[in-house]
Amino acid sequence: MNLRFLVIALNFVVISCHMALAQDMLVATKVSQRASVMQRIGTTDVTVAYNSPAAKQRKIFGGIVPYDFVVDGVEYPWRAGANENTTISFTHDVTVQGKPLAKGTYGLHIFVRDGEWTYIFSKNHESWGSFSYDPKEDALRVTATPEPSEYREWLTYEFTTREAEEAVLELQWSTVKCGITIGTDVTSNVLTDLKSKEEKTPDDYIKLAQLTLSEDAKNVDAALHYAEKSIAMGEEFRNLMLKSELLAQKGMSQESKTYEQKALEVGEGFPYFYYYPLSFMLLEGNPEKTFEILSEMLHKNPNNWIANLAMGEYYIKSKKQEKATYHFGKAYEFAGERSKPYARYMYLSNALILDRM
């Protein structure tokens, strides 16, 4: 390689590195720092990405962010931050202030009035701030009421007042805050995700059946269809018991009982033989059903440590300490090595209670 060409090439690399470093330093020293906040509401991730300017003792709203900024009949909303577009993203369909908005990423703009703000969700999220804002690209507009707040030097977005399926997204800056309520439908979102999943598992079909029924209690046939799809991929306690429960809802009591028996034969392990019978007592207020299932289990196998453990819990709830202690003792006697410490604890603690009675 020509020596002169090599020197020129090396100089070009050095200059390029210095330029890149200078650009990085300029970005790092910007007054308005890049920030983001993400909150999961139900199963939906909501993310706001923005640049956060400082107040610097300036008048903000009605000052550097003017009220009613309309020139020649054209609205000029605020970019809801600084520098490039503030954006907001949703991984599922949501409601904002009770109005529907499809999943996706939006440019966020705010038209500020004294006493009322209009949040604007634009389909264009790649423009520079609000300078190229076009109302024809609006996906949604909602109004919100600003309120006085504690002083915030830096513009901040924060999720407040969080509930299971909704949260308030609040913009806070200077002595003002203004929030919008974002809501989700968890059942609908999970159903949508499961239905769109290409390769479903037996567990997916069980969830589809349960959620379908949760969304519409009358839709037993559709839920039963999903339960049968799960069973077709392999019989197990959960899908057989689910079918039993759905058949019972259709008034097919004999068929329901058949599948319940089959589920108990197939099922094995702690969750099935313990939580299933106790669920009738703890969740449905049906101790008679609990006792019936546990008695049947112990009739088939008196040494089943899980059934004895559950029967001990049943007798505690029934306030029959002597019988509870007896069954915890049987559980301790027949439990495997991994489970013996817990069964031993339950036996000894209840034996102590019995001794003190």
Side-chain angles (χ1 to χ4, degrees):
M1 178 181 288
N2 183 286
L3 181 60
R4 183 170 177 273
F5 178 78
L6 180 60
V7 171
I8 291 171
L10 289 171
N11 284 336
F12 178 76
V13 170
V14 171
I15 292 169
S16 298
C17 289
H18 279 297
M19 288 177 66
L21 180 60
Q23 287 175 347
D24 287 344
M25 289 175 67
L26 282 171
V27 170
T29 56
K30 274 186 179 179
V31 174
S32 300
Q33 298 170 348
R34 191 67 176 161
S36 66
V37 60
M38 189 280 281
Q39 178 64 48
R40 178 161 293 178
I41 307 173
T43 57
T44 301
D45 290 344
V46 182
T47 305
V48 183
Y50 62 103
N51 285 278
S52 173
K56 295 182 178 179
Q57 300 181 331
R58 298 173 293 179
K59 182 179 181 181
I60 303 302
F61 301 106
I64 62 170
V65 179
Y67 292 138
D68 300 298
F69 193 15
V70 179
V71 179
D72 296 331
V74 178
E75 272 184 351
Y76 289 91
W78 175 45
R79 71 185 88 179
N83 302 328
E84 60 265 41
N85 241 24
T86 296
T87 64
I88 185 166
S89 303
F90 310 97
T91 56
H92 294 98
D93 296 349
V94 296
T95 60
V96 182
Q97 300 290 74
K99 296 183 178 180
L101 183 63
K103 70 177 182 178
T105 301
Y106 298 91
L108 184 62
H109 311 272
I110 301 176
F111 190 74
V112 179
R113 296 182 180 88
D114 187 10
E116 182 181 84
W117 292 8
T118 299
Y119 279 77
I120 303 167
F121 298 83
S122 173
K123 297 172 188 174
N124 180 356
H125 64 276
E126 296 178 341
S127 60
W128 183 266
S130 296
F131 297 109
S132 57
Y133 165 74
D134 185 346
K136 293 178 183 176
E137 296 172 332
D138 286 2
L140 178 68
R141 285 185 170 217
V142 297
T143 58
T145 304
E147 301 175 13
S149 72
E150 294 181 0
Y151 182 79
R152 297 294 294 260
E153 172 66 15
W154 297 90
L155 183 151
T156 303
Y157 285 91
E158 185 175 316
F159 287 91
T160 64
T161 323
R162 298 197 297 269
E163 303 291 343
E165 293 190 312
E166 69 176 32
V168 173
L169 171 63
E170 208 167 68
L171 183 154
Q172 305 165 353
W173 197 18
S174 185
T175 57
V176 175
K177 63 182 180 180
C178 187
I180 51 174
T181 300
I182 299 171
T184 66
D185 184 335
V186 171
T187 299
S188 177
N189 291 341
V190 175
L191 270 171
T192 299
D193 290 345
L194 285 173
K195 286 178 180 178
S196 63
K197 188 176 178 181
E198 290 186 8
E199 295 185 9
K200 296 180 180 63
T201 65
D203 187 57
D204 291 334
Y205 283 117
I206 290 171
K207 289 176 183 174
L208 278 167
Q210 292 168 334
L211 290 169
T212 296
L213 207 59
S214 174
E215 194 173 53
D216 183 357
K218 296 178 182 178
N219 212 350
V220 179
D221 287 335
L224 189 58
H225 170 73
Y226 288 127
E228 287 168 347
K229 276 189 168 289
S230 179
I231 290 169
M233 297 178 75
E235 292 183 348
E236 55 178 273
F237 178 88
R238 294 174 305 156
N239 53 31
L240 291 169
M241 191 58 73
L242 176 61
K243 183 169 181 178
S244 168
E245 292 166 357
L246 293 170
L247 290 170
Q249 290 187 41
K250 287 173 67 70
M252 302 170 68
S253 56
Q254 187 56 50
E255 292 88 342
S256 171
K257 187 67 177 175
T258 299
Y259 275 94
E260 181 181 342
Q261 291 298 321
K262 195 171 186 181
L264 292 172
E265 291 169 8
V266 169
E268 55 186 46
F270 189 87
Y272 306 138
F273 278 72
Y274 183 80
Y275 288 111
Y276 169 69
L278 288 180
S279 69
F280 286 96
M281 181 170 64
L282 301 175
L283 302 178
E284 299 183 19
N286 189 347
E288 294 81 9
K289 182 69 173 178
T290 303
F291 184 75
E292 177 190 335
I293 295 171
L294 288 172
S295 296
E296 195 169 324
M297 287 180 175
L298 290 172
H299 177 73
K300 290 179 181 176
N301 181 5
N303 299 338
N304 184 323
W305 79 270
I306 302 167
N308 273 291
L309 192 70
M311 187 64 96
E313 297 278 9
Y314 166 81
Y315 279 122
I316 284 177
K317 295 290 183 183
S318 303
K319 299 182 179 180
K320 295 180 179 178
Q321 189 63 43
E322 187 174 351
K323 290 187 175 182
T325 304
Y326 168 79
H327 283 285
F328 285 133
K330 296 288 283 185
Y332 173 45
E333 183 181 351
F334 295 107
E337 289 306 312
R338 288 184 61 187
S339 306
K340 254 195 184 333
Y342 178 69
R344 180 176 181 272
Y345 167 78
M346 293 301 293
Y347 168 64
L348 292 176
S349 60
N350 279 275
L352 184 62
I353 293 170
L354 183 63
D355 286 345
R356 291 176 176 176
M357 289 179 68

